[in-house]
């Protein structure tokens, strides 16, 4: 079955707020190649009795590196030598440089700095899609509100809802379970939305405009007879697959070659289709990372970015500033390299980065990205 992925480009081009046509031209007709690996890949996200099947503070990240023209494998061999990778190691993995640390711990690792220095000085760019699983799991609560007056504020509402969910996580989760989320029917509709309103009403300080707006939208939804996105779903399942995040870059960059690390569930889904864009086939393949050095490099990229997004999920801007003030000079230097690498890629094209996240998480990331040392 053929799947035309031109819809991804059409959605971008239809955005009246941002003209990305110039960015698309940087890749159209060009000889370029994207390499992919992933981290925190649960394959499916569902609701259990006491918690989701995945840690909600760990974002799914799919991405890696890309380049135009040719890239010599000898460059990766040089990196392995600089990292003093043991000859017995069949391939380079993030565990060889990150040592199981959190993000701030990674910034202290000399090998992380060596890796980032090598990557920044190369002709490689990084790219990624990240998915905040908790945000993804609950945004339909807002999208289901039928009152059109709230549509212009949809991202404010989603951000406020996300903050409520994080601040009241255990009780919020139990409300999802009690109302058979994501299949909220009958009398549970009023009970469900009233439950969230109660969380808002228990905020000890005066409500912000955005939080009051959320409260009013929930009161509107409380009166609805049906919930278009929260009924007739697979039981207890809030994300059936990350498949769409794998095919999105194929649709955005159809002239590129796309090389993925083996991921058998996704491969089985891919086998059901041939992918094209406006009638032209899209070049993609799944490989064993042992055989493709830049997929190994991609493993290190997404491993570090996974730690980075976990850090963003754990703090607000004020807390991020406080943490930055505690960094050692070595940590500052490594963070500065990461920022320069991200800006190098962002300056090529913002299309290289895709994030499904709350505005809160986005703002903390933007704050860090705008720091200079």
């Amino acid at each position: 079955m053929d799947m035309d992925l031109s819809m991804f480009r059409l959605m971008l081009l239809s955005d009246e707020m941002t003209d990305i046509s110039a960015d698309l031209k940087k890749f159209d007709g060009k000889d370029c190649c994207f390499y992919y690996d992933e981290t925190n890949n649960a394959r499916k996200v569902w609701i259990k009795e006491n918690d989701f099947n995945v840690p909600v503070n760990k974002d799914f990240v799919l991405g890696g590196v890309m380049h135009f023209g040719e890239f010599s494998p000898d460059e990766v061999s040089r990196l392995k030598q600089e990292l003093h990778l043991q000859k017995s190691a069949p391939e380079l993995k993030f565990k060889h440089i990150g040592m199981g640390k959190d993000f701030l711990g990674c910034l202290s690792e000399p090998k992380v700095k060596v890796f980032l220095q090598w990557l920044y000085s190369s002709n490689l760019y990084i790219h990624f899609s990240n998915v905040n699983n908790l945000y993804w799991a609950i945004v339909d609560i807002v999208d289901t509100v039928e009152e059109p007056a709230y549509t212009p504020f949809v991202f404010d509402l989603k951000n406020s809802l996300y903050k409520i969910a994080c601040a009241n996580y255990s009780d919020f989760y139990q409300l999802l379970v009690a109302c058979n989320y994501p299949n909220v029917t009958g009398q549970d509709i009023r009970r469900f939305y009233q439950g969230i309103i109660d969380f808002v009403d228990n905020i000890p300080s005066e409500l912000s405009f955005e939080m009051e707006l959320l409260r009013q939208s929930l009161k509107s939804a409380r009166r609805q007879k049906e919930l278009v996105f929260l009924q007739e779903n697979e039981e207890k399942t809030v994300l059936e697959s990350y498949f769409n995040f794998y095919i999105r870059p194929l649709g955005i960059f159809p002239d590129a070659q796309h090389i993925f690390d083996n991921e058998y569930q996704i491969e089985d889904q891919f086998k059901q289709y041939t992918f094209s864009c406006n009638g032209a086939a899209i070049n993609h393949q799944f490989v064993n990372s042992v055989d493709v050095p830049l997929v190994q490099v991609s493993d290190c990229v997404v491993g570090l970015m996974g730690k980075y997004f976990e850090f963003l999920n754990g703090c607000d801007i004020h807390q991020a500033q406080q943490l930055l003030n505690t960094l050692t000079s070595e940590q500052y230097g490594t963070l500065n390299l990461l920022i320069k690498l991200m800006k190098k890629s962002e300056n090529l094209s913002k299309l290289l980065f895709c994030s499904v996240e709350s505005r809160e998480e986005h703002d903390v990331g933007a704050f860090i990205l705008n720091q200079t040392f």
Side-chain angles (χ1 to χ4, degrees), residues 344-360:
K344 169 187 172 183
S345 301
E346 186 181 56
N347 289 339
L348 172 63
S349 175
K350 294 184 185 301
L351 297 176
L352 295 177
F353 298 162
C354 171
S355 292
V356 177
E357 60 187 358
S358 70
R359 192 181 62 203
E360 188 98 345

Side-chain angles (χ1 to χ4, degrees), residues 80-296:
K80 292 178 179 179
Q81 291 176 351
E82 292 181 13
L83 292 172
H84 303 292
L85 189 67
Q86 293 183 355
K87 293 183 178 180
S88 59
E91 59 180 320
L92 172 64
K93 304 285 285 185
F94 177 64
K95 66 181 180 181
H96 296 133
I97 65 172
M99 302 293 290
K101 303 286 183 64
D102 62 12
F103 179 65
L104 296 183
C106 286
L107 296 182
S108 300
E109 284 294 327
K111 288 185 177 182
V112 172
K113 186 173 185 178
V114 169
F115 174 74
L116 291 174
Q117 285 175 325
W118 174 86
L119 194 52
Y120 179 71
S121 63
S122 74
N123 65 343
L124 297 170
Y125 300 89
I126 66 170
H127 65 95
F128 58 78
S129 297
N130 83 284
V131 183
N132 181 312
N133 289 310
L134 176 59
Y135 182 77
W136 177 276
I138 65 175
V139 291
D140 281 346
I141 296 171
V142 169
D143 287 331
T144 295
V145 177
E146 294 177 350
E147 173 54 58
Y150 298 107
T151 302
F153 306 99
V154 64
F155 291 108
D156 298 303
L157 298 176
K158 290 177 179 180
N159 189 62
S160 295
L161 177 67
Y162 179 75
K163 291 167 71 173
I164 288 291
C166 290
N168 306 274
Y169 182 73
S170 295
D171 291 335
F172 189 96
Y173 187 84
Q174 287 308 313
L175 179 64
L176 300 181
V177 174
C179 294
N180 197 38
Y181 192 85
N183 286 302
V184 184
T185 58
Q187 294 301 311
D188 280 339
I189 294 177
R190 183 176 183 83
R191 173 190 176 194
F192 179 66
Y193 280 96
Q194 182 60 52
I196 305 174
I197 292 170
D198 291 343
F199 291 129
V200 178
D201 288 342
N202 287 331
I203 295 176
S205 57
E206 183 178 350
L207 296 183
S208 66
F209 171 76
E210 290 81 5
M211 198 62 72
E212 179 59 36
L213 200 64
L214 174 65
R215 184 175 181 274
Q216 296 303 322
S217 72
L218 297 173
K219 289 172 66 176
S220 175
R222 186 179 60 184
R223 298 190 294 268
Q224 293 177 200
K225 300 300 182 183
E226 60 182 13
L227 306 176
V228 63
F229 295 117
L230 295 180
Q231 293 173 351
E232 299 183 6
N233 294 307
E234 183 178 345
E235 283 295 304
K236 306 296 183 183
T237 301
V238 293
L239 193 154
E240 295 181 16
S241 170
Y242 293 109
F243 176 73
N244 283 342
F245 297 99
Y246 281 81
I247 64 174
R248 177 189 176 276
L250 274 65
I252 302 298
F253 311 108
D255 293 340
Q257 183 178 7
H258 300 269
I259 300 178
F260 297 92
D261 189 23
N262 284 336
E263 211 301 311
Y264 298 108
Q265 182 194 60
I266 295 296
E267 287 181 67
D268 287 342
Q269 291 178 278
F270 267 53
K271 288 175 183 176
Q272 300 175 38
Y273 306 96
T274 57
F275 299 107
S276 64
C277 182
N278 296 323
I282 300 174
N283 188 341
H284 68 276
Q285 60 180 306
F286 288 85
V287 300
N288 187 329
S289 57
V290 173
D291 302 321
V292 185
L294 286 182
V295 172
Q296 300 172 34

